[in-house]
Amino acid sequence: MPPSVPSLPRRVARILRTSLFAQVACALVLGIVVGKLWPGVATDLQPLGDGFTRLIKTVISPLVFCVVVVGIAKAGDLKAFGRIGLKALIWFEVASTAALVIGLVAANVVQPGSGMHVDPSTLDTSAVDAKTGGGSLPSTTEFVVNALPTSFIGAFAENALLQVLILACLVGAALLHLGHTKVPKVLPAVEQAQEIIFAVVGFVMRLAPLAVFGAMAVLVGQYGLGVMKTYAKLIILCYVAAALFVVLLSVALRMVTGLSLWKFLRYIREEMLLALGTASTESVMPRVMQKLRRAGARDDAVGLVLPTGYSFNLDGASLYLSIGTLFIAQAVGVDLGVGQQITVVLVLMLTSKGMAGIPGSAFLALSATASSLGAIPAGAVALLLGVDRIMDSMRVVTNLLGNCVAVFAVSRWEGALDVERAKRVLDGEIVPAPEGEEPETAKPGPVAPHALVSQPVAPQPLVSQPVAPQSVGPGPAVPQSVEPAPDAGELPAVTARLTKEPAPEAG
């Protein structure tokens, strides 16, 4: 009889039970519906998204520390690690500058704020102060000093990624200096801790649909769908400009590594949808690090480039800041010349680097840019209060893709990427995971392409083979003979010899 085909409800139930992507997608839709129909109830769901983000943040610092330490220790070359860091900074600066320029060009062409004729004196600037908490962006000196840890434990307690990264580099360098003979148990302990952290991430990720449901319900419940009509031109422009930047990322990835960004999007679709729903790239950092390692990027490259990119490579934020600055100027009737727009790019190149982890950092960066120009009233930044949260989805997706492409590009640049492995993983083929992720596949290095294809097994001969002569000690080798099988009458003697018991006398 032909096998029975499961009914449609059973297939849907199986997909919802086994696919995180399907679960998060359904939670996203349900959150929008609840936020639209019951906005009062939706605002009470804020703890769902906040709780999930807190749980993920607890493992980010230890995970970054373990991955970087293991990567440096296994690479065995501290100079290579330094080259990776330098090349990453170069890539970050080029990518974020390209995002700023694309934003300025798009805003000049579309003019999203023209015709609004807003009077800045009528805007409530106290809402901006509440959004930023009265804080300010750090200066260049403060940013560098704050990146240096004051306490080993404090860096982890404050979840300061740059400080944790510096500590990890120091510990990895110390392991290389001392060698495995002096500290043989440290590296295995760090690897085992890394496995525990990945297991904890797997547990927490089961709560991802609840987090997306709560976050989307709060967003729609607080701001409603009407705000999209008011700022439709600005929203569409930002998302179209982000899509154009993603296309450029795709071209760059293809040229540098030969990989397809669209296949990579399919590979991390669950993490991308989760970042879209929670408006947080930190919520998916552990899983993305794991998948990048599986896709052939070396541990030290993943551990250094991705966390550093969370502070230095905010492509989506750069895009939004450049468009937002020109939108505010156009809305209040200020015409910025070419020189002033170049100043905008230069100021945002600096202010965008210190935004990570600061509440309302986008408004602080916009206020700093407006003050540097002297032509835009600082209070006009309040124009973006109603739309800023909606832009989060665009920012986090673009930031995440930009940092993932940076990992692949810098890894390829340094020779730390197994391109054949990456292509097989992105094509959906089953590839063994790197060492440290799957206990049953311990593998010291990247998998060679021929090793992924099963080899035919040569038939074994059934005839017994002669045993090679063996020698014990310095004397001449003594050939060992193979005794013939004993007769039936000799079986008692053989058995007695094996059990060290006296054999019974025959007959």
Side-chain angles (χ1 to χ4, degrees):
M1 295 179 59
S4 59
V5 179
S7 61
L8 180 60
R10 287 187 177 182
R11 292 202 300 270
V12 172
R14 183 189 305 165
I15 293 174
L16 290 176
R17 187 174 62 254
T18 58
S19 173
L20 179 63
F21 179 81
Q23 295 170 7
V24 173
C26 290
L28 192 71
V29 175
L30 287 176
I32 295 174
V33 172
V34 170
K36 176 64 177 176
L37 298 181
W38 302 285
V41 177
T43 53
D44 296 331
L45 300 176
Q46 183 76 34
L48 292 179
D50 291 346
F52 176 80
T53 304
R54 283 172 174 265
L55 288 174
I56 286 292
K57 284 184 176 181
T58 58
V59 299
I60 287 179
S61 291
L63 178 62
V64 170
F65 179 82
C66 292
V67 171
V68 172
V69 170
V70 172
I72 294 177
K74 287 190 174 181
D77 186 2
L78 198 58
K79 292 182 179 179
F81 194 73
R83 289 196 303 269
I84 291 174
L86 178 61
K87 292 173 181 178
L89 291 178
I90 295 173
W91 179 275
F92 294 160
E93 198 59 48
V94 172
S96 57
T97 303
L100 289 171
V101 172
I102 289 174
L104 285 179
V105 172
N108 277 294
V109 172
V110 178
Q111 301 278 323
S114 61
M116 295 183 68
H117 306 295
V118 176
D119 184 2
S121 61
T122 62
L123 298 174
D124 183 13
T125 58
S126 61
V128 177
D129 295 333
K131 182 79 172 179
T132 60
S136 61
L137 291 176
S139 63
T140 304
T141 304
E142 291 173 340
F143 179 76
V144 173
V145 172
N146 291 337
L148 301 177
T150 57
S151 166
F152 199 100
I153 304 299
F156 289 89
E158 297 172 4
N159 216 21
L161 276 186
L162 290 181
Q163 296 182 12
V164 172
L165 199 59
I166 290 176
L167 288 174
C169 293
L170 293 175
V171 173
L175 286 177
L176 283 181
H177 177 70
L178 294 174
H180 297 300
T181 56
K182 291 186 177 181
V183 283
K185 296 182 179 180
V186 174
L187 184 58
V190 175
E191 288 181 306
Q192 292 169 10
Q194 180 178 278
E195 289 301 315
I196 295 174
I197 294 171
F198 276 125
V200 171
V201 171
F203 298 150
V204 176
M205 287 301 294
R206 297 179 182 178
L207 303 175
L210 288 177
V212 172
F213 170 73
M216 288 306 299
V218 171
L219 172 63
V220 178
Q222 282 185 347
Y223 298 98
L225 299 177
V227 69
M228 296 185 182
K229 299 178 182 178
T230 306
Y231 292 93
K233 196 174 182 180
L234 176 62
I235 294 172
I236 293 174
L237 174 62
C238 286
Y239 277 84
V240 170
L244 176 61
F245 182 76
V246 170
V247 171
L248 293 180
L249 284 178
S250 174
V251 174
L253 182 65
R254 175 72 73 175
M255 292 176 61
V256 176
T257 67
L259 302 178
S260 169
L261 184 63
W262 316 119
K263 291 182 179 180
F264 179 73
L265 273 172
R266 184 182 61 187
Y267 177 57
I268 62 164
R269 60 185 181 275
E270 296 171 353
E271 292 74 22
M272 193 61 65
L273 193 59
L274 176 58
L276 184 68
T278 59
S280 170
T281 52
E282 290 183 339
S283 63
V284 297
M285 180 195 279
R287 289 263 300 204
V288 171
M289 291 180 73
Q290 194 174 22
K291 287 198 168 183
L292 287 170
R293 294 168 66 218
R294 286 178 178 171
R298 211 167 63 194
D299 284 6
D300 52 346
V302 175
L304 179 62
V305 178
L306 190 65
T308 308
Y310 273 54
S311 294
F312 289 92
N313 190 38
L314 304 175
D315 298 330
S318 299
L319 197 70
Y320 169 65
L321 289 175
S322 58
I323 294 177
T325 302
L326 262 67
F327 168 78
I328 294 171
Q330 294 163 4
V332 298
V334 175
D335 185 18
L336 296 179
V338 176
Q340 291 174 310
Q341 293 192 29
I342 293 176
T343 303
V344 168
V345 172
L346 296 177
V347 171
L348 290 178
M349 283 174 63
L350 296 176
T351 56
S352 62
K353 299 296 183 292
M355 291 175 55
I358 299 177
S361 55
F363 291 97
L364 293 174
L366 288 170
S367 299
T369 306
S371 300
S372 65
L373 291 174
I376 305 175
V381 176
L383 279 171
L384 294 175
L385 280 172
V387 75
D388 182 71
R389 179 62 181 84
I390 297 174
M391 296 299 186
D392 275 346
S393 299
M394 179 274 294
R395 289 197 294 255
V396 298
V397 170
T398 311
N399 289 344
L400 183 59
L401 279 178
N403 286 322
C404 290
V405 170
V407 171
F408 280 127
V410 174
S411 298
R412 177 64 171 172
W413 193 0
E414 181 56 29
L417 176 66
D418 187 347
V419 179
E420 292 301 322
R421 179 190 180 87
K423 289 180 178 179
R424 290 177 179 272
V425 170
L426 299 187
D427 286 339
E429 299 181 15
I430 300 176
V431 180
E435 182 185 359
E437 292 187 14
E438 297 290 345
E440 64 272 12
T441 56
K443 186 176 72 67
V447 178
H450 64 273
L452 301 174
V453 183
S454 59
Q455 302 294 333
V457 180
Q460 300 294 329
L462 299 178
V463 182
S464 61
Q465 301 294 327
V467 180
Q470 300 180 359
S471 62
V472 180
V478 180
Q480 296 183 356
S481 59
V482 180
E483 298 181 358
D487 296 330
E490 296 177 341
L491 287 177
V494 174
T495 306
R497 187 166 71 246
L498 294 176
T499 57
K500 297 183 180 180
E501 293 181 358
E505 296 181 1

